[in-house]
Amino acid sequence: DDDTFYVKSGNKTGHFDLNGNVLTDIITTINDTYSIGCLWGDFGILNADKSAALSFKYKDIHCLNEHIIVAMFIETNNSEDWFSIVQNIEHIELYDYNLNRLLGDLDIASINALSNDNFRIRLFDGTQAVLSSTGTLIKEDMYEISDSLIKYKLFGHWGIINLAGDCVQPNIWDNISVLNNKNILIYKRDSVNILNPDGQVISEITGKTFDSMLTNDIIKLRDYTINISKYPYLRQSSPFDLYTTTGERICENCLNTQAIDDDKILYKYTPESGTRFGLINAAGEKVLPEEYESLDFSFNNFIIAKGEDNCFVYDKDYRQIFESQGFVILNKNLIAVKPKN
């Protein structure tokens, strides 16, 4: 117009008055206090007196709805290596209409509208969450896990709240499940906890990660440094520990398990004296001591145990049938036995 003019320099455009003063373009009026402005191609937020309330460093600023303001800026990662590629990464900040920063310092990568007026936000680590239309995080996948507790999912991880909404466990866990005895199993990569139905921690196991439920009453844990998902063959060779659903350890450094039936489980472990086999039942009780070089169940559910000097045959109820110096399993029905001298 007659009183101002624009000057373009590269990809930036400046607005000046006739005295050479830099002017700020008003893009959008937010309310009686704030408005969105543009200065040399960068966006910021102005107070009513045209001073900067939010500095002019953003690629874009717009009102998401009547509660949330989206401010997006570009961060450039430069490297001293001449062959590197300069990357422009868009970061998003969220503010309310009083310019209070929402969601703290979360590195928001994108925000998209959902059909119910809420929004889906995604962080740079790939985790996602739902944002309400007023700018608060919405807990997802909420399930009652006891008479007083609710588990929920937020940013890809699970937490626990009570019925009043108070935090019992923060959303840092990979999974939360209810055990057969009503206790609660929570675990992440390097920690496993067992809670009672009221949310109190009754067992805290660090340095271990959850593998599987061996039975309804026995929990199988492994060293968290072993990446079984990436190297599945390690599942058969890496040691593991067995715990009850109340958190008591049954045995450690086990190397193998084999179920005889619903009530009998073979385990192998390595004490200081060397590799030995023992037998536990589904309740975690040791029914044969860990003193055998081998245990075999292929002969009609009889237990054939090889000790240091002799061999033993037990029936399914762990009663010794005979002792010998050696044996050879011929088939499912026949076994050759070398009698004791």
Side-chain angles (χ1 to χ4, degrees), residues 221-265:
L221 305 181
R222 293 185 186 269
D223 191 306
Y224 82 96
T225 59
I226 300 172
N227 191 337
I228 295 175
S229 60
K230 187 175 181 181
Y231 306 106
Y233 62 87
L234 292 177
R235 181 179 296 274
Q236 300 300 325
S237 59
S238 61
F240 55 86
D241 297 349
L242 299 181
Y243 284 79
T244 68
T245 53
T246 55
E248 292 87 11
R249 187 170 61 192
I250 301 169
C251 60
E252 60 180 331
N253 293 326
C254 302
L255 294 178
N256 196 7
T257 60
Q258 178 181 342
I260 309 172
D261 54 33
D262 293 338
D263 188 52
K264 300 177 182 65
I265 299 168

Side-chain angles (χ1 to χ4, degrees), residues 45-115:
I45 294 182
L46 299 169
N47 293 302
D49 62 1
K50 301 300 186 290
S51 61
L54 198 62
S55 61
F56 288 80
K57 62 179 182 179
Y58 297 94
K59 174 186 176 183
D60 184 30
I61 297 178
H62 63 274
C63 297
L64 195 63
N65 57 21
E66 65 273 18
H67 300 286
I68 303 173
I69 300 170
V70 175
M72 182 175 66
F73 67 97
I74 292 180
E75 177 182 330
T76 302
N77 291 340
N78 293 311
S79 173
E80 296 179 355
D81 298 330
W82 64 271
F83 55 83
S84 67
I85 299 175
V86 176
Q87 294 179 332
N88 292 328
I89 303 176
E90 296 180 353
H91 287 258
I92 294 174
E93 296 176 358
L94 302 178
Y95 296 86
D96 63 17
Y97 271 42
N98 293 317
L99 293 194
N100 298 310
R101 178 82 178 268
L102 302 177
L103 306 185
D105 297 326
L106 290 178
D107 288 330
I108 303 172
S110 64
I111 182 167
N112 304 99
L114 300 175
S115 59

Side-chain angles (χ1 to χ4, degrees), residues 143-308:
Y143 304 97
E144 290 188 9
I145 54 176
S146 74
D147 293 337
S148 60
L149 300 178
I150 297 171
K151 74 173 184 178
Y152 69 91
K153 197 173 187 180
L154 185 62
F155 287 121
H157 292 88
W158 292 90
I160 299 176
I161 57 175
N162 59 25
L163 297 183
D166 302 320
C167 178
V168 176
Q169 287 288 332
N171 60 303
I172 60 173
W173 301 98
D174 293 338
N175 199 10
I176 296 175
S177 59
V178 180
L179 298 170
N180 199 41
N181 61 352
K182 306 300 182 183
N183 284 340
I184 301 165
L185 175 70
I186 63 177
Y187 61 87
K188 54 182 178 177
R189 178 174 177 265
D190 59 351
S191 182
V192 178
N193 285 1
I194 297 176
L195 318 179
N196 65 19
D198 295 324
Q200 298 171 325
V201 178
I202 59 176
S203 180
E204 186 174 356
I205 306 164
T206 58
K208 300 293 180 180
T209 190
F210 177 78
D211 180 281
S212 61
M213 293 298 298
L214 197 59
T215 69
N216 289 334
D217 301 303
I218 298 180
I219 305 169
K220 190 175 180 179
L221 305 181
R222 293 185 186 269
D223 191 306
Y224 82 96
T225 59
I226 300 172
N227 191 337
I228 295 175
S229 60
K230 187 175 181 181
Y231 306 106
Y233 62 87
L234 292 177
R235 181 179 296 274
Q236 300 300 325
S237 59
S238 61
F240 55 86
D241 297 349
L242 299 181
Y243 284 79
T244 68
T245 53
T246 55
E248 292 87 11
R249 187 170 61 192
I250 301 169
C251 60
E252 60 180 331
N253 293 326
C254 302
L255 294 178
N256 196 7
T257 60
Q258 178 181 342
I260 309 172
D261 54 33
D262 293 338
D263 188 52
K264 300 177 182 65
I265 299 168
L266 165 71
Y267 72 91
K268 174 183 178 182
Y269 81 118
T270 54
E272 293 182 0
S273 59
T275 300
R276 290 293 185 269
F277 286 86
L279 187 68
I280 61 173
N281 60 21
E285 301 166 335
K286 293 184 179 181
V287 293
L288 286 181
E290 53 276 5
E291 60 185 30
Y292 301 102
E293 295 181 2
S294 66
L295 283 169
D296 192 278
F297 299 92
S298 59
F299 184 68
N300 281 340
N301 285 331
F302 285 97
I303 304 167
I304 304 174
K306 182 180 180 182
E308 185 174 350

